């Protein structure tokens, strides 16, 4: 158990929101992927929330259990051992520090590319962690959730009457797809009990920049999403299902019809939280812009940009900042970062 003093804990961001009895939002859209009307329900969920839960996803529980077990072995190791798998540059092991601009949270993580070869031998010297076993577990899991992502994106295209239906999914299927996979571990933080009515931030508020995110966590609460009315609500955990986030890139491609959902994670005072997230991204050279078939005579809200340009811009701002405002049509080009410098 990690014991922290009040002085130490105050270095981390906190919010006024009791975690002892969270008020769960029970109206999260639930989409049964086996039902014929799922495509229309997915469109509605993306328009209203930018977030939904899927069931009957066909991801084998064996893949989920195996990867979770390997992740627990790793995160249970001494910090001095885990650091051998870092630093996150950007791939590898990271602890507390999120990004390059001073954001911190009560979290440790492993970030992996789904395409380029990560050096899994970094895990070889960590007790109880077999690099080949964890590599196989990640590959099996990522392959399965990538298929779920593509199925959902094709249902979205059908629901929007877009042809061809792989207009979104082909970007994830491309061999140069810049997709990443992240394992987040939020240790329990008993010290937050000393701060009545306050929670420690595990991962601060942000949107996901990619096209789509597929999240699975254990049975520990902590995830919150921001509703359009400005209220943060807690999402009930469900380890057998997946939660889907609309990313910034999909918001742009739908010309704002779908909204990239802002979300965060609060630390738990008693139980650890483990989450596994697949971020489906396009190739670096892919141009991102509203699809002409969705314009319906409307003006484009966004300038065209490549995924590389957008990704590079995220390195210059803080986690909670609105990245897309830099690329809105209301801004002049010289007001946006000089991405070619």
């Amino acid at each position: 158990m990690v014991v922290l003093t009040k002085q130490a804990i105050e270095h981390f961001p906190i919010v006024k929101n009791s975690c002892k009895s969270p008020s769960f939002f029970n109206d999260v859209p639930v989409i049964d992927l086996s039902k014929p009307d799922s495509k229309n329900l997915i469109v509605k969920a993306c328009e209203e929330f930018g977030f939904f839960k899927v069931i009957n996803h066909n991801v084998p529980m064996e893949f989920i259990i195996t990867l979770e077990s390997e992740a627990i072995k790793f995160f249970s190791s001494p910090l001095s051992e885990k650091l051998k798998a870092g630093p996150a540059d950007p791939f590898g092991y990271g602890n507390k520090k999120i990004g390059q601009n001073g954001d911190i949270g009560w979290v440790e993580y492993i970030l992996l590319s789904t395409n380029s070869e990560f050096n899994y031998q970094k895990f070889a010297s960590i007790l109880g962690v077999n690099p080949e076993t964890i590599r196989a577990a990640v590959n099996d899991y990522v392959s399965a959730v990538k298929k779920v992502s593509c199925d959902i994106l094709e249902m979205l295209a059908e629901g929007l009457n877009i042809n061809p239906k792989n207009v979104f999914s082909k970007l994830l299927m491309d061999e140069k797809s810049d997709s990443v996979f992240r394992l987040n571990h939020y240790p329990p933080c008993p010290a937050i009990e000393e701060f009545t009515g306050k929670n420690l931030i595990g991962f601060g508020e942000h949107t996901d920049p990619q096209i789509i995110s597929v999240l699975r966590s254990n049975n520990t609460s902590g995830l919150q999403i921001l509703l359009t009315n400005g209220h943060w609500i807690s999402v009930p955990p469900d380890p057998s299902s997946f939660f889907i986030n609309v990313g910034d890139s999909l918001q742009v491609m739908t010309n704002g019809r779908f909204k990239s959902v802002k979300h965060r994670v609060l630390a738990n005072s008693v139980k650890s939280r483990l989450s596994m997230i697949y971020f489906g991204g396009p190739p670096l050279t892919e141009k991102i812009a509203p699809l002409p078939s969705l314009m319906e005579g409307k003006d484009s809200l966004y300038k065209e940009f490549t995924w590389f340009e957008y990704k590079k811009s995220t390195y210059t701002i803080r986690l909670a900042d609105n990245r897309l405002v830099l690329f809105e049509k209301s801004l002049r080009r010289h007001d946006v970062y000089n991405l070619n410098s």
Side-chain angles (χ1 to χ4, degrees):
M1 178 180 294
V2 179
V3 179
L4 294 177
T5 64
K6 179 177 180 180
Q7 184 179 11
I9 208 75
E10 286 178 342
H11 285 90
F12 292 89
I14 56 177
V15 292
K16 294 180 180 179
N17 186 24
S18 174
C19 67
K20 294 181 179 180
S21 55
S23 177
F24 289 122
F25 181 67
N26 294 312
D27 293 327
V28 173
V30 180
I31 313 295
D32 185 339
L33 296 182
S34 68
K35 300 295 184 181
D37 64 341
S38 57
K39 62 184 180 182
N40 296 320
L41 295 176
I42 291 175
V43 169
K44 183 179 179 182
C46 289
E47 291 174 336
E48 296 182 357
F49 294 97
F51 178 86
F52 55 95
K53 180 168 75 172
V54 295
I55 59 175
N56 287 327
H57 44 72
N58 291 326
V59 176
M61 281 303 299
E62 176 188 354
F63 291 175
I64 296 172
I65 293 170
T66 299
L67 181 55
E68 182 174 81
S69 174
E70 291 301 313
I72 290 172
K73 286 180 188 177
F74 174 81
F75 289 120
S76 298
S77 303
L79 179 59
S80 60
E81 294 294 303
K82 289 182 286 191
L83 289 173
K84 296 175 182 177
D89 56 353
F91 303 117
Y93 173 75
N95 184 279
K96 305 297 190 293
K97 182 180 178 182
I98 303 171
Q100 305 175 3
N101 299 299
D103 290 300
I104 60 172
W106 190 249
V107 63
E108 57 179 342
Y109 63 88
I110 303 172
L111 184 64
L112 304 168
S113 170
T114 63
N115 289 338
S116 62
E117 284 295 314
F118 173 76
N119 181 15
Y120 281 85
Q121 287 304 312
K122 289 184 177 182
F123 296 109
S125 61
I126 300 169
L127 185 65
V129 177
N130 183 315
E132 291 308 314
T133 301
I134 195 169
R135 181 205 296 271
V138 168
N139 288 343
D140 286 344
Y141 181 87
V142 168
S143 294
V145 295
K146 178 180 179 180
K147 184 180 185 306
V148 172
S149 302
C150 291
D151 288 346
I152 289 172
L153 290 174
E154 292 185 3
M155 289 180 190
L156 276 176
E158 288 189 69
L160 293 170
N161 296 315
I162 300 174
N163 287 306
K165 72 175 185 178
N166 70 339
V167 64
F168 301 124
S169 63
K170 68 180 181 181
L171 303 178
L172 274 59
M173 295 301 295
D174 192 298
E175 63 179 12
K176 295 183 179 179
S177 167
D178 187 43
S179 298
V180 296
F181 179 64
R182 188 179 185 111
L183 288 159
N184 284 336
H185 177 241
Y186 304 90
C189 187
I192 64 175
E193 300 246 356
E194 300 175 12
F195 302 92
T196 304
K198 293 184 178 180
N199 281 165
L200 193 66
I201 294 290
F203 208 110
E205 61 180 87
H206 64 287
T207 59
D208 296 336
Q210 291 88 355
I211 297 171
I212 190 173
S213 305
V214 181
L215 163 72
R216 184 266 171 192
S217 71
N218 62 0
N219 202 28
T220 301
S221 63
L223 176 64
Q224 292 190 326
I225 63 172
L226 184 64
L227 298 181
T228 54
N229 62 10
H231 293 153
W232 285 99
I233 53 95
S234 295
V235 177
D238 184 350
S240 64
S241 303
F242 289 96
F243 293 95
I244 311 298
N245 291 347
V246 168
D248 295 343
S249 297
L250 188 55
Q251 177 172 324
V252 171
M253 295 176 77
T254 60
N255 203 37
R257 180 169 174 176
F258 294 168
K259 301 299 183 184
S260 181
V261 63
K262 184 165 281 191
H263 53 288
R264 68 186 182 188
V265 175
L266 305 184
N268 191 290
S269 64
V270 180
K271 299 189 296 181
S272 64
R273 183 174 188 272
L274 180 70
S275 62
M276 308 185 289
I277 315 102
Y278 168 77
F279 298 95
L284 289 172
T285 57
E286 182 69 28
K287 293 181 179 179
I288 307 297
L291 297 179
S293 58
L294 295 179
M295 298 301 291
E296 299 178 352
K298 299 178 182 178
D299 292 331
S300 171
L301 298 179
Y302 305 97
K303 300 182 180 76
E304 182 180 88
F305 53 85
T306 66
W307 170 239
F308 173 77
E309 289 173 330
Y310 192 59
K311 187 176 181 180
K312 185 176 179 180
S313 76
T314 66
Y315 295 147
T316 65
I317 59 179
R318 298 293 297 270
L319 195 63
D321 291 340
N322 183 352
R323 307 179 188 93
L324 282 178
V325 72
L326 301 175
F327 297 90
E328 290 176 355
K329 276 287 186 77
S330 58
L331 293 180
R332 291 171 299 186
R333 173 60 65 182
H334 70 261
D335 290 328
V336 181
Y337 295 113
N338 183 1
L339 300 176
N340 297 317
S341 62

